[in-house]
Amino acid sequence: MTSNDLATLAQQLRVDSVRAAAAAESGHPTSSMSAADLMAVLMARHLHYDFDRPDHPGNDRFILSKGHASPLLYAAYKAAGALTDDELLTFRKEGSRLQGHPTPRALPWVETATGSLGQGLPVGVGMALSGKRLERIPYRVWVLCGDSELAEGSVWEAAEHAGYEHLDNLTVVVDVNRLGQRGPTRHEWNLKAYADRFRAFDWHVVETDGHDTDAIDRAFQEAASTAGQPTVVLARTLKGKGVASIENREGLHGKPLPDAESAIEELGGVRDVRVEVRKPAAARTLHAERAGHLELPRHEIGEDVATRDAYGQALAALGTARGDVVALDGEVGDSTRTEYFAKEHPDRYFECHIAEQQLVASAVGMAARGWVPYASTFAAFLTRAHDFVRMAAISGAGINLVGSHAGVAIGEDGPSQMGLEDLAMFRAVHGSTVLYPCDAHQTGRLIAQMAELDGVRYLRTSRGASPVIYGPGEEFPIGGSKVLRSSDADRLTLVAAGVTVHEALSAAELLAGEGIAVRVIDLYSVKPVDRDTLREAATRTGCLVTVEDHREEGGLGDAVLDAFTDGGPVPRLVRLAVRTMPGSASPEEQLRAAGIDAQSIVAAARLLVEEAVVR
Amino acid sequence: MTSNDLATLAQQLRVDSVRAAAAAESGHPTSSMSAADLMAVLMARHLHYDFDRPDHPGNDRFILSKGHASPLLYAAYKAAGALTDDELLTFRKEGSRLQGHPTPRALPWVETATGSLGQGLPVGVGMALSGKRLERIPYRVWVLCGDSELAEGSVWEAAEHAGYEHLDNLTVVVDVNRLGQRGPTRHEWNLKAYADRFRAFDWHVVETDGHDTDAIDRAFQEAASTAGQPTVVLARTLKGKGVASIENREGLHGKPLPDAESAIEELGGVRDVRVEVRKPAAARTLHAERAGHLELPRHEIGEDVATRDAYGQALAALGTARGDVVALDGEVGDSTRTEYFAKEHPDRYFECHIAEQQLVASAVGMAARGWVPYASTFAAFLTRAHDFVRMAAISGAGINLVGSHAGVAIGEDGPSQMGLEDLAMFRAVHGSTVLYPCDAHQTGRLIAQMAELDGVRYLRTSRGASPVIYGPGEEFPIGGSKVLRSSDADRLTLVAAGVTVHEALSAAELLAGEGIAVRVIDLYSVKPVDRDTLREAATRTGCLVTVEDHREEGGLGDAVLDAFTDGGPVPRLVRLAVRTMPGSASPEEQLRAAGIDAQSIVAAARLLVEEAVVR
């Protein structure tokens, strides 16, 4: 394509963006128009992509971080022959693949869901790490960002990570159109402000006029030929470029053009230029070899093992059995115990430092490239990445997240380090699986099964040691539970998970000594829950007492309700959970203070029985 | 104090850090020892603080962002005469004010809870903004950071904000001890790497030897005398400084010293040096004038008003009535409608750009200074600040967060913009209040009441307009609800909030036409819930059907359970909620697809009645 052809293609992308938004009566045409020349040059000259084979391992990866500019993306897909004009005009309509913000659940060419700003680059870093360190395929990751989103800290977490890792297979293009949603950005067209920042984070920086296709071409060439550093192309652009009456005007974000018809005319009318996107070189997928048999660590019944230790050991074993498993950690691998994996599989271990958003984003990027990532930090600090987890679910990303140091049971460190809201956070994620093992063998089995599940999978581990209660051959199906104690005389059921399983077992023993029989269920699968077993217990014992080292809202207690919301009978329920703000204290003191230790369970059960609340 | 005295004081801080950790048998002495000289010079020469009057408006603010170095902080409090040696040795014990990580809930001199890294600076920015733009008192905000935590994006969000706002009343001291928890940091002692980054974000940078008290003194002087820019003091230090055998050694993070006794001897033994911390100049509190009567906007019954519009208008009115109300927004004030407040009270409006962590952190910092902040963005994007909200609860911070664009009802923009997990997230926050109004008058009343509550308060607003159903004089107590429709013949109860209230009312009307009477409850107070009304409805109708524009986990459906977890009878329950991943569609199509529109409610109710599941 000549420079003229490129300019024509860019105008077509603008026209189609305007048309799509006009047909939808919503959307972001002005944000699309500023980046049309960038997109045209990328598609015609630099991207290597086979639209017939989105799974081609050699494909470049393109991420539209400014996901609201989706009309531009769809217009580009149309120009590449991947979409028809008819489909383009279904933009934002019910049932259309062309959603307001792009997602890979709907379209095979979309690498990751965007629409929450500041996430495209972090996920791109994950893909670039995969290309460089795991796949070793010379594809390039292109990320198109808006300028507003550079205010997000996640962008600088990612910039730091990419600069430090010398990701020269990563190019970020920033569409500096000066205007955010409600008005000017902090730095408007001061490209130097952005250049200084990226340079400080060890990036190569190229500044360009974002409407000069020759200059853009040179900038992209420079990016692709820069070794040892990622490159950012800072492109000065006009929001609404191409239509004089709306160019660089405030108050037009996220709205169809006031007069689409005359705008289309001004842009040169409807065209049907086709762009030949270059195909990638042949490449083979290097991962996904499964070495074979999984040999999980074995322990003696009664041996004291922390589930975080069991996790680290199981993950290392899983890494031996499966070549597609990778591990990531937020600079606490000695606490989460991913250090065991790091030692055995250093080539598949990624240190993400104290940067939890990038930790999860890297996992999302690697999952998109076919890896099975396990990302770990303290359960409490996964809240830092909540928005990334939410978006991972929208992407349909298969990621494993493991949070250690759950609950008040960590003891002296105090509430800032205690995961007390994690179950609530992960239960509410669409399509998630939430697991909370109480012993070493259970942890190992669940960790292995997680690799085979869809969506976001979360497992919670504990800091302190607890006795092994299951044999090494025991199965723990997802959605299952274990009835650890039952009799026909049970007067209520204790439902526990993790550390509280052991407290519940002790409580049951103490209660038995008082002549009160109670059932004990280990509800290791918090989502999905084991409806049948819970219903059976409800029928037989009439009352369920949940005991959890978590806030009373959204955790185990609420999860039990998942078994009883079809309009059928609901048993009596009591939730023992952490209702106060803990301070520092020993693990035993913490459990007692929270009212979730064996004695507190006994007291609650006794009260329920004596007051004849239950039978 | 002479240089020698300062060195002696620093040694005492080390000794007391070692002693406190030894007594606790846990804690972070090595991380305390690296920063002891910095702390000694700050206390003796630069901090202005009246320990007898922690509420003195002129006090400088000191934030220990590396909260794990709490032994150093407590040692400094002791040296200042604020703590006894006996209390120092209660460190990390049950009931002690000296928690593993400092929190203002326990100690009056702590400005904000830390322990989740990368939060001290963002909250400090909030305080510095307050000092400069609201209080106009020349106190200085000092933040002591670790080097590991500079990997957090939130640090750079804050750096960007502080640089842009020219916060020359803010000084960050970075204790560059080269070692994180599990090993070396990315940049170790490369101070230039950090200097380049801060300079790029428009900060003044001073590099110093962190163990040379004269050099530190000069650095702090330079910081305090720098105008127009915040200053970062990058201090090269040794982790474990002062004890040769542990200095700069890996593997000693977060552990008491192996031989505390000989370490104390090497550090010169136990001392009792007192430091005279300079008192602040007299200053008066400028805020908290309440101008008087609150005049909330009034609407006609039946008028269509979006609750986000009602929020913006009510907030503007509240700002007129109360001089202590401030508003912050994440660059979407035209969507959340805080623009109404911005227009009327520009001096109390803070644009935080697309940076939700800093948005919430600014609110926390301002709340600590006595303001009543309302921080707003899309409900979906508040997930970005989850860890900050969690820590705000640990601080006991009184902040108001308002999330707009809740649920699938936003329509075409798609799932990335839909708040579908926000109720779950906020319900699980300790001490939180969660509100979800359905009409304009209710919104206004709730917004006004939020200002008077403790802790984290969340209110959810909707994008689309809905009819006003309550009169302007109606009261909406926190923890209350409204029974909108009831009769003795009710066969079930619809429990709704926000947009689903209107769907439930329509459904009840349709069902009445079929001879099926149902009760309708507007559960605007999601936490706390109105137990009495829900129990009454349960007793009378036997079955509750919750209808919510939120995931089925952790939201309204689970909240209803809060009324029934005392072991008493639980009604039959059905949860209508968003169970699939939405795409783009109109609001009406979205509600239908999610099964939470009037017709879906009718269908569910009919089924329950016909199948005689209920009575």
Side-chain angles (χ1 to χ4, degrees), chain A residues 288-301:
Chain A
E289 305 95 2
R290 300 196 184 180
H293 184 63
L294 172 63
E295 192 74 51
L296 287 170
R298 297 168 78 97
H299 306 273
E300 297 299 314
I301 300 277

Side-chain angles (χ1 to χ4, degrees), chain B residues 237-420:
Chain B
T237 64
L238 289 168
K239 198 159 177 172
K241 167 72 179 176
V243 178
S245 61
I246 62 155
E247 270 181 9
N248 193 31
R249 259 189 54 197
E250 290 188 38
L252 291 172
H253 181 93
K255 294 172 185 166
L257 298 202
D259 183 350
E261 214 167 308
S262 74
I264 291 166
E265 196 178 331
E266 186 175 343
L267 290 164
V270 178
R271 294 182 181 84
D272 195 13
V273 178
R274 272 297 186 85
V275 59
E276 278 302 320
V277 175
R278 277 190 273 189
K279 299 270 196 295
R284 69 181 190 86
T285 308
L286 293 175
H287 63 78
E289 306 99 357
R290 301 195 183 179
H293 182 64
L294 171 63
E295 192 74 54
L296 287 170
R298 297 168 77 98
H299 305 273
E300 296 299 314
I301 301 276
E303 188 185 341
D304 278 332
V305 185
T307 52
R308 61 174 170 152
D309 277 311
Y311 162 56
Q313 291 164 2
L315 188 64
L318 191 64
T320 302
R322 295 180 63 133
D324 57 355
V325 165
V326 299
L328 309 94
D329 202 283
E331 220 266 279
V332 288
D334 51 337
S335 286
T336 61
R337 307 303 201 217
T338 57
E339 64 183 2
Y340 302 144
F341 184 100
K343 203 174 162 193
E344 291 192 32
H345 314 288
D347 51 324
R348 283 183 275 142
Y349 184 75
F350 294 84
E351 175 58 77
C352 295
H353 296 271
I354 312 270
E356 295 79 10
Q357 297 186 86
Q358 187 56 52
L359 171 74
V360 173
S362 294
V364 171
M366 289 176 188
R369 300 299 313 121
W371 301 97
V372 180
Y374 286 74
S376 310
T377 184
F378 283 27
F381 304 141
L382 283 171
T383 57
R384 199 68 157 252
H386 191 166
D387 197 28
F388 284 78
V389 173
R390 186 180 72 85
M391 292 299 296
I394 295 175
S395 284
I399 56 172
N400 304 288
L401 302 174
V402 179
S404 69
H405 292 66
V408 299
I410 66 164
E412 290 81 358
D413 272 327
S416 65
Q417 318 295 300
M418 293 170 174
L420 285 169

Side-chain angles (χ1 to χ4, degrees), chain A residues 92 152 356 413 562 575, chain B residues 92 152 356 413 562 575:
Chain A
R92 285 176 166 248
E152 286 284 9
E356 296 78 12
D413 272 328
D562 292 346
R575 292 184 306 202
Chain B
R92 284 175 165 250
E152 287 283 9
E356 295 79 10
D413 272 327
D562 292 347
R575 293 185 306 203

Side-chain angles (χ1 to χ4, degrees), chain B residues 139-300:
Chain B
Y139 61 73
R140 177 161 295 278
V141 180
W142 300 88
V143 181
L144 179 58
C145 289
D147 46 354
S148 286
E149 66 180 301
L150 300 189
E152 287 283 9
S154 57
V155 168
W156 302 103
E157 252 182 61
E160 167 75 16
H161 200 112
Y164 182 76
E165 297 279 353
H166 307 289
L167 298 180
D168 51 16
N169 57 343
L170 173 66
T171 303
V172 169
V173 182
V174 185
D175 175 19
V176 187
N177 66 20
R178 195 188 71 83
L179 292 172
Q181 171 175 323
R182 70 95 207 84
T185 59
R186 277 197 183 113
H187 303 295
E188 305 203 24
W189 278 322
N190 178 9
L191 297 193
K192 185 177 178 299
Y194 299 122
D196 288 348
R197 285 158 174 73
F198 276 102
R199 265 193 211 105
F201 282 87
D202 300 318
W203 284 55
H204 182 65
V205 177
V206 188
E207 297 182 30
T208 187
D209 175 345
H211 300 310
D212 177 339
T213 53
D214 290 338
I216 295 168
D217 189 33
R218 286 192 302 274
F220 289 177
Q221 274 172 28
E222 186 173 331
S225 61
T226 297
Q229 281 184 300
T231 296
V232 62
V233 175
L234 299 169
R236 185 188 194 279
T237 64
L238 289 168
K239 198 159 177 172
K241 167 72 179 176
V243 178
S245 61
I246 62 155
E247 270 181 9
N248 193 31
R249 259 189 54 197
E250 290 188 38
L252 291 172
H253 181 93
K255 294 172 185 166
L257 298 202
D259 183 350
E261 214 167 308
S262 74
I264 291 166
E265 196 178 331
E266 186 175 343
L267 290 164
V270 178
R271 294 182 181 84
D272 195 13
V273 178
R274 272 297 186 85
V275 59
E276 278 302 320
V277 175
R278 277 190 273 189
K279 299 270 196 295
R284 69 181 190 86
T285 308
L286 293 175
H287 63 78
E289 306 99 357
R290 301 195 183 179
H293 182 64
L294 171 63
E295 192 74 54
L296 287 170
R298 297 168 77 98
H299 305 273
E300 296 299 314

